[in-house]
Amino acid sequence: MDERLSKVDPKLLELLVCPLSKGRLVFKRDTNELVSEGVRLAYPIRDGIPIMLVSEARKLED
């Protein structure tokens, strides 16, 4: 397992919401991102830190 994945505190992930929609986020282990399905954005996790900036999010394709 990638060590960066193990550094994210699961309790922190439960508390975070999408800064744009204020909706729930889903952790995608395979891409190491937090996904907001409502606005179709994926927020990266770098060195165990979720980057919760809309400008850093990746747009999800259909």
Side-chain angles (χ1 to χ4, degrees):
M1 176 155 102
D2 188 331
E3 188 173 319
R4 290 175 300 158
L5 298 178
S6 63
K7 289 183 181 178
V8 180
D9 183 349
K11 296 228 183 260
L12 174 63
L13 295 179
E14 290 175 17
L15 296 173
L16 291 175
V17 295
C18 174
L20 188 61
S21 70
K22 307 299 186 243
R24 183 174 159 271
L25 295 167
V26 177
F27 175 58
K28 299 292 184 178
R29 186 175 299 279
D30 59 332
T31 58
N32 202 34
E33 296 173 315
L34 294 173
V35 173
S36 175
E37 292 291 344
V39 291
R40 308 285 298 150
L41 291 175
Y43 297 93
I45 299 172
R46 297 186 188 126
D47 298 322
I49 301 169
I51 309 300
M52 303 306 298
L53 300 171
V54 175
S55 62
E56 292 289 318
R58 177 176 66 86
K59 291 184 182 188
L60 298 175
E61 302 298 323
D62 288 329

Short mmCIF file of all heavy atoms in Angstrom, two decimals:
data_model
loop_
_atom_site.label_atom_id
_atom_site.label_comp_id
_atom_site.label_asym_id
_atom_site.label_seq_id
_atom_site.Cartn_x
_atom_site.Cartn_y
_atom_site.Cartn_z
N MET A 1 0.84 -1.19 0.00
CA MET A 1 0.00 0.00 0.00
C MET A 1 0.88 1.25 0.00
O MET A 1 1.89 1.30 0.67
CB MET A 1 -0.90 0.00 1.23
CG MET A 1 -1.73 1.25 1.35
SD MET A 1 -3.23 1.01 2.28
CE MET A 1 -2.84 1.69 3.83
N ASP A 2 0.48 2.24 -0.77
CA ASP A 2 1.21 3.50 -0.83
C ASP A 2 1.16 4.17 0.54
O ASP A 2 0.09 4.35 1.11
CB ASP A 2 0.56 4.40 -1.88
CG ASP A 2 1.33 5.66 -2.16
OD1 ASP A 2 2.03 6.14 -1.26
OD2 ASP A 2 1.23 6.18 -3.28
N GLU A 3 2.31 4.55 1.05
CA GLU A 3 2.37 5.13 2.40
C GLU A 3 1.57 6.42 2.51
O GLU A 3 1.02 6.73 3.56
CB GLU A 3 3.83 5.39 2.78
CG GLU A 3 3.96 5.81 4.23
CD GLU A 3 5.40 5.92 4.66
OE1 GLU A 3 6.20 5.05 4.28
OE2 GLU A 3 5.70 6.87 5.37
N ARG A 4 1.46 7.18 1.44
CA ARG A 4 0.69 8.43 1.49
C ARG A 4 -0.76 8.18 1.84
O ARG A 4 -1.41 8.98 2.49
CB ARG A 4 0.76 9.16 0.15
CG ARG A 4 2.11 9.73 -0.15
CD ARG A 4 2.14 10.31 -1.53
NE ARG A 4 1.82 9.26 -2.48
CZ ARG A 4 1.36 9.48 -3.70
NH1 ARG A 4 1.15 10.68 -4.13
NH2 ARG A 4 1.10 8.47 -4.52
N LEU A 5 -1.30 7.05 1.41
CA LEU A 5 -2.70 6.73 1.69
C LEU A 5 -2.93 6.48 3.17
O LEU A 5 -3.95 6.84 3.70
CB LEU A 5 -3.13 5.50 0.89
CG LEU A 5 -3.08 5.61 -0.62
CD1 LEU A 5 -3.49 4.30 -1.25
CD2 LEU A 5 -3.94 6.73 -1.12
N SER A 6 -1.97 5.86 3.82
CA SER A 6 -2.15 5.49 5.22
C SER A 6 -2.04 6.69 6.16
O SER A 6 -2.41 6.60 7.31
CB SER A 6 -1.13 4.42 5.61
OG SER A 6 0.17 4.93 5.49
N LYS A 7 -1.56 7.81 5.67
CA LYS A 7 -1.37 8.98 6.53
C LYS A 7 -2.64 9.82 6.71
O LYS A 7 -2.70 10.66 7.58
CB LYS A 7 -0.27 9.89 5.95
CG LYS A 7 1.11 9.32 6.06
CD LYS A 7 2.11 10.32 5.55
CE LYS A 7 3.51 9.78 5.63
NZ LYS A 7 4.48 10.73 5.09
N VAL A 8 -3.64 9.61 5.87
CA VAL A 8 -4.87 10.40 5.97
C VAL A 8 -5.70 9.85 7.12
O VAL A 8 -6.05 8.68 7.15
CB VAL A 8 -5.67 10.35 4.66
CG1 VAL A 8 -6.95 11.17 4.79
CG2 VAL A 8 -4.83 10.84 3.50
N ASP A 9 -6.01 10.70 8.07
CA ASP A 9 -6.79 10.31 9.23
C ASP A 9 -8.25 10.06 8.81
O ASP A 9 -8.91 10.96 8.30
CB ASP A 9 -6.73 11.43 10.27
CG ASP A 9 -7.45 11.09 11.56
OD1 ASP A 9 -8.18 10.09 11.61
OD2 ASP A 9 -7.29 11.85 12.52
N PRO A 10 -8.76 8.85 9.01
CA PRO A 10 -10.15 8.55 8.63
C PRO A 10 -11.17 9.48 9.29
O PRO A 10 -12.18 9.82 8.70
CB PRO A 10 -10.34 7.11 9.09
CG PRO A 10 -8.97 6.54 9.19
CD PRO A 10 -8.07 7.69 9.54
N LYS A 11 -10.90 9.90 10.50
CA LYS A 11 -11.84 10.83 11.18
C LYS A 11 -11.87 12.18 10.48
O LYS A 11 -12.92 12.81 10.39
CB LYS A 11 -11.44 10.99 12.65
CG LYS A 11 -11.54 9.71 13.43
CD LYS A 11 -12.28 9.94 14.72
CE LYS A 11 -12.30 8.67 15.52
NZ LYS A 11 -13.54 7.96 15.40
N LEU A 12 -10.71 12.62 9.97
CA LEU A 12 -10.66 13.87 9.21
C LEU A 12 -11.49 13.74 7.94
O LEU A 12 -12.25 14.65 7.59
CB LEU A 12 -9.21 14.22 8.86
CG LEU A 12 -9.02 15.42 7.95
CD1 LEU A 12 -9.52 16.70 8.61
CD2 LEU A 12 -7.56 15.56 7.56
N LEU A 13 -11.37 12.62 7.27
CA LEU A 13 -12.13 12.40 6.04
C LEU A 13 -13.63 12.45 6.29
O LEU A 13 -14.40 12.91 5.45
CB LEU A 13 -11.74 11.07 5.40
CG LEU A 13 -10.30 10.97 4.92
CD1 LEU A 13 -10.04 9.59 4.33
CD2 LEU A 13 -9.96 12.05 3.92
N GLU A 14 -14.07 11.98 7.46
CA GLU A 14 -15.49 12.03 7.80
C GLU A 14 -15.99 13.45 7.99
O GLU A 14 -17.16 13.74 7.76
CB GLU A 14 -15.75 11.24 9.08
CG GLU A 14 -15.60 9.76 8.93
CD GLU A 14 -15.74 9.02 10.25
OE1 GLU A 14 -16.28 9.61 11.21
OE2 GLU A 14 -15.31 7.86 10.32
N LEU A 15 -15.11 14.36 8.41
CA LEU A 15 -15.50 15.74 8.70
C LEU A 15 -15.47 16.66 7.49
O LEU A 15 -16.17 17.67 7.46
CB LEU A 15 -14.58 16.32 9.78
CG LEU A 15 -14.64 15.66 11.14
CD1 LEU A 15 -13.56 16.24 12.05
CD2 LEU A 15 -16.00 15.82 11.77
N LEU A 16 -14.66 16.32 6.50
CA LEU A 16 -14.50 17.20 5.35
C LEU A 16 -15.73 17.17 4.44
O LEU A 16 -16.35 16.13 4.26
CB LEU A 16 -13.27 16.78 4.54
CG LEU A 16 -11.92 17.03 5.19
CD1 LEU A 16 -10.82 16.44 4.32
CD2 LEU A 16 -11.70 18.51 5.42
N VAL A 17 -16.04 18.33 3.86
CA VAL A 17 -17.10 18.44 2.86
C VAL A 17 -16.54 19.21 1.68
O VAL A 17 -15.54 19.90 1.78
CB VAL A 17 -18.37 19.15 3.40
CG1 VAL A 17 -19.01 18.34 4.51
CG2 VAL A 17 -18.06 20.55 3.85
N CYS A 18 -17.20 19.10 0.56
CA CYS A 18 -16.80 19.83 -0.64
C CYS A 18 -16.94 21.34 -0.38
O CYS A 18 -18.00 21.80 0.05
CB CYS A 18 -17.68 19.41 -1.81
SG CYS A 18 -17.39 20.38 -3.31
N PRO A 19 -15.89 22.12 -0.64
CA PRO A 19 -15.98 23.56 -0.39
C PRO A 19 -16.95 24.27 -1.35
O PRO A 19 -17.44 25.35 -1.03
CB PRO A 19 -14.55 24.05 -0.60
CG PRO A 19 -13.87 23.00 -1.38
CD PRO A 19 -14.57 21.71 -1.08
N LEU A 20 -17.24 23.66 -2.47
CA LEU A 20 -18.15 24.28 -3.43
C LEU A 20 -19.61 23.95 -3.13
O LEU A 20 -20.44 24.84 -3.02
CB LEU A 20 -17.78 23.82 -4.85
CG LEU A 20 -18.48 24.50 -6.00
CD1 LEU A 20 -18.20 25.99 -6.01
CD2 LEU A 20 -18.05 23.88 -7.31
N SER A 21 -19.91 22.66 -2.96
CA SER A 21 -21.30 22.25 -2.76
C SER A 21 -21.68 22.04 -1.30
O SER A 21 -22.85 21.91 -0.98
CB SER A 21 -21.55 20.93 -3.50
OG SER A 21 -20.86 19.87 -2.87
N LYS A 22 -20.68 21.95 -0.43
CA LYS A 22 -20.86 21.61 1.00
C LYS A 22 -21.40 20.20 1.17
O LYS A 22 -21.91 19.83 2.21
CB LYS A 22 -21.79 22.61 1.72
CG LYS A 22 -21.41 24.06 1.55
CD LYS A 22 -20.05 24.35 2.12
CE LYS A 22 -19.77 25.84 2.07
NZ LYS A 22 -18.66 26.23 1.25
N GLY A 23 -21.27 19.41 0.11
CA GLY A 23 -21.76 18.03 0.13
C GLY A 23 -20.70 17.03 0.57
O GLY A 23 -19.52 17.36 0.75
N ARG A 24 -21.14 15.81 0.72
CA ARG A 24 -20.31 14.70 1.17
C ARG A 24 -19.23 14.37 0.15
O ARG A 24 -19.43 14.51 -1.06
CB ARG A 24 -21.24 13.50 1.35
CG ARG A 24 -20.62 12.27 1.87
CD ARG A 24 -21.72 11.22 2.14
NE ARG A 24 -21.15 9.91 2.15
CZ ARG A 24 -20.99 9.13 1.08
NH1 ARG A 24 -21.43 9.54 -0.08
NH2 ARG A 24 -20.44 7.95 1.19
N LEU A 25 -18.09 13.92 0.64
CA LEU A 25 -16.97 13.50 -0.20
C LEU A 25 -16.75 12.00 -0.05
O LEU A 25 -16.96 11.45 1.02
CB LEU A 25 -15.69 14.24 0.20
CG LEU A 25 -15.71 15.75 -0.02
CD1 LEU A 25 -14.54 16.39 0.71
CD2 LEU A 25 -15.66 16.08 -1.50
N VAL A 26 -16.32 11.38 -1.13
CA VAL A 26 -16.02 9.95 -1.13
C VAL A 26 -14.53 9.78 -1.40
O VAL A 26 -14.01 10.33 -2.38
CB VAL A 26 -16.85 9.22 -2.21
CG1 VAL A 26 -16.49 7.75 -2.26
CG2 VAL A 26 -18.34 9.41 -1.96
N PHE A 27 -13.85 9.02 -0.54
CA PHE A 27 -12.43 8.76 -0.73
C PHE A 27 -12.25 7.68 -1.78
O PHE A 27 -12.80 6.59 -1.67
CB PHE A 27 -11.79 8.33 0.59
CG PHE A 27 -10.35 7.93 0.46
CD1 PHE A 27 -9.42 8.81 -0.05
CD2 PHE A 27 -9.93 6.68 0.86
CE1 PHE A 27 -8.08 8.45 -0.17
CE2 PHE A 27 -8.60 6.30 0.75
CZ PHE A 27 -7.68 7.20 0.23
N LYS A 28 -11.48 7.99 -2.82
CA LYS A 28 -11.16 7.04 -3.88
C LYS A 28 -9.71 6.62 -3.70
O LYS A 28 -8.79 7.37 -4.03
CB LYS A 28 -11.38 7.65 -5.27
CG LYS A 28 -12.80 8.06 -5.53
CD LYS A 28 -13.71 6.85 -5.62
CE LYS A 28 -15.11 7.29 -5.99
NZ LYS A 28 -16.00 6.18 -6.14
N ARG A 29 -9.52 5.45 -3.16
CA ARG A 29 -8.17 4.95 -2.85
C ARG A 29 -7.31 4.81 -4.10
O ARG A 29 -6.12 5.11 -4.09
CB ARG A 29 -8.27 3.62 -2.12
CG ARG A 29 -6.94 3.09 -1.63
CD ARG A 29 -7.10 1.83 -0.80
NE ARG A 29 -7.90 2.03 0.40
CZ ARG A 29 -7.44 2.55 1.54
NH1 ARG A 29 -6.19 2.92 1.63
NH2 ARG A 29 -8.23 2.68 2.58
N ASP A 30 -7.90 4.36 -5.22
CA ASP A 30 -7.11 4.12 -6.42
C ASP A 30 -6.50 5.38 -7.01
O ASP A 30 -5.42 5.34 -7.59
CB ASP A 30 -7.95 3.38 -7.48
CG ASP A 30 -9.19 4.13 -7.88
OD1 ASP A 30 -9.74 4.91 -7.07
OD2 ASP A 30 -9.65 3.94 -9.03
N THR A 31 -7.17 6.53 -6.85
CA THR A 31 -6.64 7.79 -7.37
C THR A 31 -6.12 8.71 -6.27
O THR A 31 -5.58 9.77 -6.56
CB THR A 31 -7.71 8.54 -8.18
OG1 THR A 31 -8.84 8.79 -7.34
CG2 THR A 31 -8.12 7.78 -9.42
N ASN A 32 -6.32 8.30 -5.01
CA ASN A 32 -5.89 9.09 -3.85
C ASN A 32 -6.53 10.49 -3.89
O ASN A 32 -5.84 11.51 -3.79
CB ASN A 32 -4.37 9.17 -3.77
CG ASN A 32 -3.89 9.50 -2.37
OD1 ASN A 32 -4.49 9.09 -1.39
ND2 ASN A 32 -2.81 10.24 -2.27
N GLU A 33 -7.85 10.50 -4.06
CA GLU A 33 -8.60 11.74 -4.16
C GLU A 33 -9.87 11.67 -3.33
O GLU A 33 -10.37 10.58 -3.03
CB GLU A 33 -9.00 12.01 -5.61
CG GLU A 33 -7.85 12.23 -6.54
CD GLU A 33 -8.28 12.33 -7.99
OE1 GLU A 33 -9.10 11.50 -8.44
OE2 GLU A 33 -7.78 13.22 -8.66
N LEU A 34 -10.40 12.83 -3.02
CA LEU A 34 -11.72 12.96 -2.41
C LEU A 34 -12.66 13.47 -3.49
O LEU A 34 -12.41 14.53 -4.08
CB LEU A 34 -11.69 13.93 -1.22
CG LEU A 34 -10.86 13.46 -0.04
CD1 LEU A 34 -10.77 14.58 0.99
CD2 LEU A 34 -11.45 12.21 0.59
N VAL A 35 -13.71 12.72 -3.75
CA VAL A 35 -14.60 13.03 -4.87
C VAL A 35 -15.92 13.59 -4.37
O VAL A 35 -16.54 13.04 -3.47
CB VAL A 35 -14.84 11.77 -5.72
CG1 VAL A 35 -15.88 12.01 -6.79
CG2 VAL A 35 -13.52 11.31 -6.35
N SER A 36 -16.32 14.70 -5.01
CA SER A 36 -17.64 15.28 -4.80
C SER A 36 -18.47 14.96 -6.04
O SER A 36 -18.28 15.57 -7.10
CB SER A 36 -17.53 16.80 -4.61
OG SER A 36 -18.82 17.37 -4.53
N GLU A 37 -19.35 13.96 -5.91
CA GLU A 37 -20.16 13.54 -7.04
C GLU A 37 -21.12 14.65 -7.48
O GLU A 37 -21.41 14.79 -8.66
CB GLU A 37 -20.94 12.27 -6.71
CG GLU A 37 -20.07 11.05 -6.52
CD GLU A 37 -19.42 10.56 -7.80
OE1 GLU A 37 -19.85 10.95 -8.90
OE2 GLU A 37 -18.46 9.78 -7.70
N GLY A 38 -21.59 15.44 -6.53
CA GLY A 38 -22.57 16.48 -6.84
C GLY A 38 -22.07 17.50 -7.84
O GLY A 38 -22.81 17.92 -8.73
N VAL A 39 -20.83 17.91 -7.72
CA VAL A 39 -20.26 18.91 -8.63
C VAL A 39 -19.21 18.32 -9.56
O VAL A 39 -18.57 19.04 -10.32
CB VAL A 39 -19.70 20.14 -7.87
CG1 VAL A 39 -20.81 20.94 -7.24
CG2 VAL A 39 -18.68 19.73 -6.83
N ARG A 40 -19.02 16.97 -9.47
CA ARG A 40 -18.10 16.24 -10.35
C ARG A 40 -16.67 16.76 -10.28
O ARG A 40 -16.03 17.02 -11.29
CB ARG A 40 -18.61 16.26 -11.80
CG ARG A 40 -20.03 15.82 -12.00
CD ARG A 40 -20.25 14.35 -11.90
NE ARG A 40 -19.49 13.64 -12.94
CZ ARG A 40 -19.02 12.42 -12.79
NH1 ARG A 40 -19.22 11.76 -11.69
NH2 ARG A 40 -18.35 11.84 -13.75
N LEU A 41 -16.17 16.91 -9.03
CA LEU A 41 -14.80 17.34 -8.81
C LEU A 41 -14.08 16.33 -7.93
O LEU A 41 -14.68 15.73 -7.04
CB LEU A 41 -14.76 18.71 -8.12
CG LEU A 41 -15.21 19.91 -8.94
CD1 LEU A 41 -15.23 21.17 -8.06
CD2 LEU A 41 -14.33 20.12 -10.16
N ALA A 42 -12.78 16.19 -8.17
CA ALA A 42 -11.94 15.30 -7.37
C ALA A 42 -10.81 16.13 -6.77
O ALA A 42 -10.03 16.74 -7.49
CB ALA A 42 -11.38 14.19 -8.23
N TYR A 43 -10.77 16.17 -5.43
CA TYR A 43 -9.75 16.93 -4.72
C TYR A 43 -8.57 16.01 -4.40
O TYR A 43 -8.76 14.94 -3.83
CB TYR A 43 -10.34 17.51 -3.42
CG TYR A 43 -11.46 18.48 -3.69
CD1 TYR A 43 -12.78 18.05 -3.70
CD2 TYR A 43 -11.20 19.81 -3.94
CE1 TYR A 43 -13.82 18.93 -3.97
CE2 TYR A 43 -12.23 20.71 -4.21
CZ TYR A 43 -13.53 20.26 -4.22
OH TYR A 43 -14.55 21.13 -4.48
N PRO A 44 -7.35 16.43 -4.75
CA PRO A 44 -6.19 15.56 -4.52
C PRO A 44 -5.80 15.49 -3.05
O PRO A 44 -6.10 16.39 -2.26
CB PRO A 44 -5.08 16.24 -5.33
CG PRO A 44 -5.46 17.69 -5.33
CD PRO A 44 -6.98 17.70 -5.36
N ILE A 45 -5.11 14.41 -2.71
CA ILE A 45 -4.51 14.26 -1.39
C ILE A 45 -3.01 14.16 -1.62
O ILE A 45 -2.55 13.25 -2.31
CB ILE A 45 -5.03 13.02 -0.65
CG1 ILE A 45 -6.53 13.14 -0.45
CG2 ILE A 45 -4.31 12.84 0.68
CD1 ILE A 45 -7.19 11.89 0.10
N ARG A 46 -2.27 15.13 -1.11
CA ARG A 46 -0.82 15.17 -1.32
C ARG A 46 -0.11 15.03 0.02
O ARG A 46 -0.37 15.82 0.93
CB ARG A 46 -0.41 16.47 -1.99
CG ARG A 46 -0.99 16.64 -3.37
CD ARG A 46 -0.46 17.85 -4.08
NE ARG A 46 -1.20 18.07 -5.31
CZ ARG A 46 -1.80 19.20 -5.63
NH1 ARG A 46 -1.72 20.25 -4.84
NH2 ARG A 46 -2.46 19.30 -6.76
N ASP A 47 0.75 14.04 0.11
CA ASP A 47 1.51 13.78 1.35
C ASP A 47 0.59 13.67 2.56
O ASP A 47 0.88 14.18 3.63
CB ASP A 47 2.56 14.87 1.57
CG ASP A 47 3.60 14.90 0.46
OD1 ASP A 47 3.97 13.82 -0.02
OD2 ASP A 47 4.02 16.00 0.06
N GLY A 48 -0.57 13.05 2.34
CA GLY A 48 -1.52 12.83 3.43
C GLY A 48 -2.40 14.02 3.75
O GLY A 48 -3.19 13.97 4.68
N ILE A 49 -2.29 15.10 2.97
CA ILE A 49 -3.07 16.31 3.23
C ILE A 49 -4.08 16.53 2.10
O ILE A 49 -3.69 16.71 0.95
CB ILE A 49 -2.15 17.54 3.34
CG1 ILE A 49 -1.16 17.33 4.47
CG2 ILE A 49 -2.97 18.82 3.55
CD1 ILE A 49 -0.04 18.34 4.51
N PRO A 50 -5.38 16.53 2.43
CA PRO A 50 -6.38 16.84 1.40
C PRO A 50 -6.27 18.30 0.97
O PRO A 50 -6.22 19.20 1.81
CB PRO A 50 -7.72 16.59 2.11
CG PRO A 50 -7.38 15.74 3.30
CD PRO A 50 -5.99 16.13 3.69
N ILE A 51 -6.18 18.52 -0.33
CA ILE A 51 -6.09 19.88 -0.88
C ILE A 51 -7.51 20.29 -1.28
O ILE A 51 -8.01 19.93 -2.34
CB ILE A 51 -5.14 19.92 -2.10
CG1 ILE A 51 -3.80 19.28 -1.77
CG2 ILE A 51 -4.99 21.35 -2.60
CD1 ILE A 51 -3.04 19.91 -0.63
N MET A 52 -8.14 21.05 -0.39
CA MET A 52 -9.55 21.37 -0.55
C MET A 52 -9.76 22.73 -1.23
O MET A 52 -10.54 23.56 -0.77
CB MET A 52 -10.25 21.33 0.82
CG MET A 52 -10.12 20.01 1.54
SD MET A 52 -10.65 18.60 0.57
CE MET A 52 -12.36 18.99 0.33
N LEU A 53 -9.08 22.93 -2.33
CA LEU A 53 -9.22 24.16 -3.12
C LEU A 53 -9.87 23.81 -4.45
O LEU A 53 -9.40 22.90 -5.15
CB LEU A 53 -7.86 24.80 -3.38
CG LEU A 53 -7.05 25.21 -2.15
CD1 LEU A 53 -5.64 25.62 -2.56
CD2 LEU A 53 -7.76 26.35 -1.45
N VAL A 54 -10.91 24.51 -4.80
CA VAL A 54 -11.60 24.26 -6.07
C VAL A 54 -10.62 24.42 -7.23
O VAL A 54 -10.65 23.65 -8.19
CB VAL A 54 -12.82 25.19 -6.23
CG1 VAL A 54 -13.46 25.02 -7.59
CG2 VAL A 54 -13.84 24.91 -5.12
N SER A 55 -9.71 25.37 -7.13
CA SER A 55 -8.73 25.60 -8.20
C SER A 55 -7.76 24.42 -8.38
O SER A 55 -7.15 24.27 -9.43
CB SER A 55 -7.95 26.88 -7.93
OG SER A 55 -7.22 26.78 -6.71
N GLU A 56 -7.62 23.58 -7.36
CA GLU A 56 -6.72 22.42 -7.44
C GLU A 56 -7.47 21.13 -7.81
O GLU A 56 -6.85 20.10 -8.07
CB GLU A 56 -6.02 22.20 -6.09
CG GLU A 56 -5.03 23.28 -5.74
CD GLU A 56 -3.78 23.23 -6.60
OE1 GLU A 56 -3.26 22.13 -6.87
OE2 GLU A 56 -3.32 24.31 -7.02
N ALA A 57 -8.80 21.19 -7.81
CA ALA A 57 -9.60 20.00 -8.07
C ALA A 57 -9.58 19.63 -9.55
O ALA A 57 -9.46 20.49 -10.41
CB ALA A 57 -11.04 20.23 -7.61
N ARG A 58 -9.72 18.34 -9.79
CA ARG A 58 -9.78 17.82 -11.15
C ARG A 58 -11.24 17.60 -11.51
O ARG A 58 -12.02 17.05 -10.73
CB ARG A 58 -9.01 16.48 -11.18
CG ARG A 58 -9.04 15.76 -12.52
CD ARG A 58 -8.18 14.52 -12.46
NE ARG A 58 -8.69 13.51 -11.55
CZ ARG A 58 -9.60 12.59 -11.85
NH1 ARG A 58 -10.13 12.55 -13.06
NH2 ARG A 58 -9.98 11.70 -10.95
N LYS A 59 -11.65 18.06 -12.71
CA LYS A 59 -13.01 17.84 -13.17
C LYS A 59 -13.15 16.39 -13.61
O LYS A 59 -12.30 15.87 -14.33
CB LYS A 59 -13.36 18.77 -14.33
CG LYS A 59 -13.46 20.21 -13.89
CD LYS A 59 -13.89 21.10 -15.02
CE LYS A 59 -13.91 22.52 -14.50
NZ LYS A 59 -14.49 23.45 -15.45
N LEU A 60 -14.22 15.75 -13.15
CA LEU A 60 -14.48 14.36 -13.53
C LEU A 60 -15.21 14.32 -14.87
O LEU A 60 -16.13 15.09 -15.12
CB LEU A 60 -15.31 13.67 -12.45
CG LEU A 60 -14.66 13.58 -11.08
CD1 LEU A 60 -15.64 12.98 -10.10
CD2 LEU A 60 -13.39 12.75 -11.13
N GLU A 61 -14.76 13.40 -15.70
CA GLU A 61 -15.40 13.21 -17.00
C GLU A 61 -16.54 12.21 -16.85
O GLU A 61 -16.51 11.35 -15.99
CB GLU A 61 -14.37 12.68 -18.01
CG GLU A 61 -13.18 13.59 -18.19
CD GLU A 61 -13.54 14.96 -18.74
OE1 GLU A 61 -14.45 15.05 -19.58
OE2 GLU A 61 -12.91 15.95 -18.33
N ASP A 62 -17.53 12.33 -17.72
CA ASP A 62 -18.67 11.40 -17.67
C ASP A 62 -18.33 10.04 -18.18
O ASP A 62 -17.45 9.71 -18.80
CB ASP A 62 -19.85 11.97 -18.46
CG ASP A 62 -20.48 13.14 -17.71
OD1 ASP A 62 -20.45 13.15 -16.49
OD2 ASP A 62 -21.01 14.02 -18.40
#
